[in-house]
Amino acid sequence: MKSVHSVRDACLLSILYAAASTAGARQQPAPPAQPGAPISTSSSAAPTPAQSSVPKIISTAKTRRRAAKFFLTATKEFEKSQFDAAMRDYNEAAELDPTNTNYQAASQVARSHAVTDAIQVAAKARMQGDSTAERAALQHALELDPNNVAATEHLHEMADDAVAAQPKSLYEQASNDLGAAPILRPTDIVHSFHLRSDRRQLLQSVFKTYGIEASIDQSVSGPSVKLDIDDATFAQARQAANMVTTTFTVPLDAHRVLIAKDTRENRLQYTRQELETIYLSGLTQTELTDIGNLARNVFFQGQQVAVEQSSNTLTVRAPSNALSAFNATLRQLLDGRSQVLLDVQLLQLGHSNRRNTGVIPPQQITAFNVYAEEQAILNGNQALVQQIISSGLAAPGDTLAILGILIASGQVSSSLFQNGIALFGGGITQSALSPGPATINLSLNSSDSRELDHVQLRLGDGEEGTMKSGLRYPITTSSFSNLGKSGLNIPGLNTAGNSSSLSSLLSSLSGAETNIPQIEYQDLGLTFKATPRVIRSGEVALTMDLKITALAGSSLNGVPVINNRSYSGVVTLKDGSGVVVVSQVDKEESRALTGVPGLTEIPGLNNLTGKDTQRNYASLLIIITPHVIRGTQAAGHSPMMRVERGRQSQ
């Protein structure tokens, strides 16, 4: 018999030998190059001293262009998660242009991703129970990176599984058993009975016919009974005899039985009881309580059943046939729970566009008297006017020259002269029109946002899972204030001190009110709850509860208003097929025109005036792909299991 370590080492050596053989085959020397063909060196292994004399590629403009093409092709393959092909093309680029270190670095990155992808494929195959695919994926990972720790750990797990699957020796299988219940060994014959006699005599005659010695309890009594049965086996004859005499049979060994009257007290007294502790790790307290009620009310009525919540165990003292039936039912209940991997993808797309173009004409025109405006400026700046006249820059009566010097020097400013004026009239009644400023707009502001949340939930059949995406926003729900007249009570400060600054601080705080806010955190964003159930057709019935919470942008008494959108429903999905279960689109568009009333509304001219257009577009998609990674329920109806009270297993 092989030991545990020898089996495990054999499994490890077989996988490592296959990986080493493949790696060695890939490192065989290449055939002689054809005349004119470029000479390339392998980048998978470091060159040895014997290989240092091999001539390297001399990079030329042509080889560098070819290397760049290979690099671009490998980058596209890398984006498509084709890491093996990307690694080969990166190696080609590195061989063609050894001077570019980026090619070799990109090859190492692609190799790392390829190893990680192979390990993930092996883990998925392990969950699905496909050892062949797991072995192939791990061999490929070791070919790429023979020193990878994760691949080595997966190999140890495969070796442990192989050791656990090995058949145990006879003494190991029976080491934890106290001994099986006795089984009767009657003669294998068929016999007919036509008896009418005392109950005790009838039972002894039937069991003696098949080589079984019967011990009759004193409780077996009553009038004579009649038994007529033809060509009956031992099981059929025993069942018929027990029915007509209202008795039950308890095996003592292979050739002896005890027969007593079929009463509750006799069954509790004579039936062989077995003690069994069932470990139910991983169950909740509610599930453990339900299983305990099932054992008490259905299988072990009147028997001793003890449930230990702290250790998750169920201890039962009952007959062997009842224990066998309960274990079979419990095995189907626990092993029959499927597991579903929900692949949830949240896609959020946002687009904002604002365009402001056109000419905004003057919105107002100011009319004023020129003479009155001149006199107002001159009267308000008499000191400056006297300096201009005394310096000889202008004559005393030349008001226009004096006014021009004041405005040109910057000492006097007037909004009426900034945008130009139009004169009309003459003399003292001469007036002017001053238009407002005109604006030319030519601006564009466009923004796009894309966000992807990829979450995987592994749930059991009927288990609820919750996913939250967003933030927690603090909201002040209430506040408590100190309205007493005593004010603050600060030890060491309320009493009189030597420092005047402490006294002033106490006086400033004595009239202050202390507000203590009560904060409640509200979940903003997306809250998604899902409960998968695997039906017999292989599809997944998904119960969903979706809630989207956001701030409304306004508040009521200082408390922000929250918008809620919720959805609840059930959808049936196929295994491995992605379906958009939620789609939300928010669209907003606004347009503003600025110009002269009437003129701006004329078709054709409205494109020349100011036009401000805003467009906002946001969409939310939730894509769910269920994967049944453990499906233990077979199609069709489960086989019926008959449990007869009081019947012993043969």
Side-chain angles (χ1 to χ4, degrees), residues 486-546:
S486 60
L488 297 177
N489 184 13
I490 302 177
L493 185 60
N494 289 348
T495 58
N498 297 326
S499 176
S500 60
S501 60
L502 293 179
S503 301
S504 62
L505 177 62
L506 178 61
S507 61
S508 63
L509 295 177
S510 60
E513 296 182 0
T514 305
N515 293 326
I516 303 175
Q518 299 294 320
I519 303 298
E520 178 182 353
Y521 287 89
Q522 177 68 34
D523 292 331
L524 299 182
L526 175 68
T527 302
F528 179 73
K529 296 182 180 180
T531 304
R533 298 186 184 277
V534 181
I535 57 181
R536 293 189 178 274
S537 61
E539 298 179 342
V540 179
L542 188 63
T543 303
M544 298 179 302
D545 187 2
L546 176 67

Side-chain angles (χ1 to χ4, degrees), residues 407-608:
I407 296 176
S409 63
Q411 299 295 326
V412 177
S413 62
S414 177
S415 60
L416 299 176
F417 301 101
Q418 292 179 358
N419 301 318
I421 58 176
L423 301 175
F424 62 93
I428 299 178
T429 62
Q430 187 179 16
S431 302
L433 297 176
S434 176
T439 306
I440 300 177
N441 296 322
L442 189 63
S443 65
L444 174 64
N445 187 3
S446 179
S447 63
D448 292 291
S449 63
R450 300 177 182 179
E451 184 178 354
L452 170 63
D453 290 341
H454 189 184
V455 182
Q456 290 185 342
L457 302 176
R458 180 168 179 173
L459 304 173
D461 192 1
E463 181 182 359
E464 180 181 349
T466 303
M467 181 194 69
K468 294 183 179 180
S469 177
L471 53 89
R472 303 195 70 189
Y473 186 79
I475 298 176
T476 303
T477 58
S478 61
S479 62
F480 297 91
S481 61
N482 183 14
L483 301 179
K485 297 182 179 180
S486 60
L488 297 177
N489 184 13
I490 302 177
L493 185 60
N494 289 348
T495 58
N498 297 326
S499 176
S500 60
S501 60
L502 293 179
S503 301
S504 62
L505 177 62
L506 178 61
S507 61
S508 63
L509 295 177
S510 60
E513 296 182 0
T514 305
N515 293 326
I516 303 175
Q518 299 294 320
I519 303 298
E520 178 182 353
Y521 287 89
Q522 177 68 34
D523 292 331
L524 299 182
L526 175 68
T527 302
F528 179 73
K529 296 182 180 180
T531 304
R533 298 186 184 277
V534 181
I535 57 181
R536 293 189 178 274
S537 61
E539 298 179 342
V540 179
L542 188 63
T543 303
M544 298 179 302
D545 187 2
L546 176 67
K547 184 178 181 181
I548 301 177
T549 307
L551 295 176
S554 59
S555 60
L556 181 63
N557 294 331
V559 179
V561 180
I562 298 177
N563 287 336
N564 291 326
R565 298 181 182 180
S566 60
Y567 166 78
S568 299
V570 181
V571 62
T572 302
L573 306 176
K574 293 184 178 180
D575 182 16
S577 61
V579 177
V580 178
V581 295
V582 176
S583 176
Q584 178 184 354
V585 177
D586 293 335
K587 205 170 185 181
E588 181 181 354
E589 182 175 354
S590 64
R591 182 178 180 184
L593 295 177
T594 305
V596 179
L599 183 64
T600 305
E601 299 175 359
I602 299 176
L605 295 179
N606 54 3
N607 294 328
L608 301 178

Side-chain angles (χ1 to χ4, degrees), residues 63 76 88 145 271 276 287 292 327 406 450 534 559 584 589 598 639 641:
T63 58
K76 295 179 180 179
R88 290 193 297 268
D145 187 4
T271 303
E276 182 176 357
E287 294 174 340
N327 287 331
L406 290 174
R450 300 177 182 179
V534 181
V559 179
Q584 178 184 354
E589 182 175 354
M641 181 176 59

Side-chain angles (χ1 to χ4, degrees), residues 306-356:
V307 179
E308 293 293 338
Q309 296 282 357
S310 59
S311 58
N312 278 31
T313 58
L314 179 68
T315 304
V316 181
R317 185 173 181 270
S320 60
N321 59 339
L323 288 175
S324 301
F326 178 70
N327 287 331
T329 304
L330 191 61
R331 189 179 301 109
Q332 293 181 2
L333 290 176
L334 297 181
D335 294 344
R337 298 187 63 179
S338 303
Q339 292 184 354
V340 179
L341 180 66
L342 290 182
D343 194 347
V344 184
Q345 295 182 358
L346 280 74
L347 302 177
Q348 302 182 39
L349 305 177
H351 176 73
S352 177
N353 183 282
R354 180 175 182 179
R355 187 187 299 269
N356 190 2

Side-chain angles (χ1 to χ4, degrees), residues 292-314:
N293 295 333
L294 175 66
R296 293 188 185 95
N297 301 328
V298 178
F299 290 92
F300 311 119
Q301 297 180 1
Q303 306 297 333
Q304 298 179 3
V305 178
V307 179
E308 293 293 338
Q309 296 282 357
S310 59
S311 58
N312 278 31
T313 58
L314 179 68

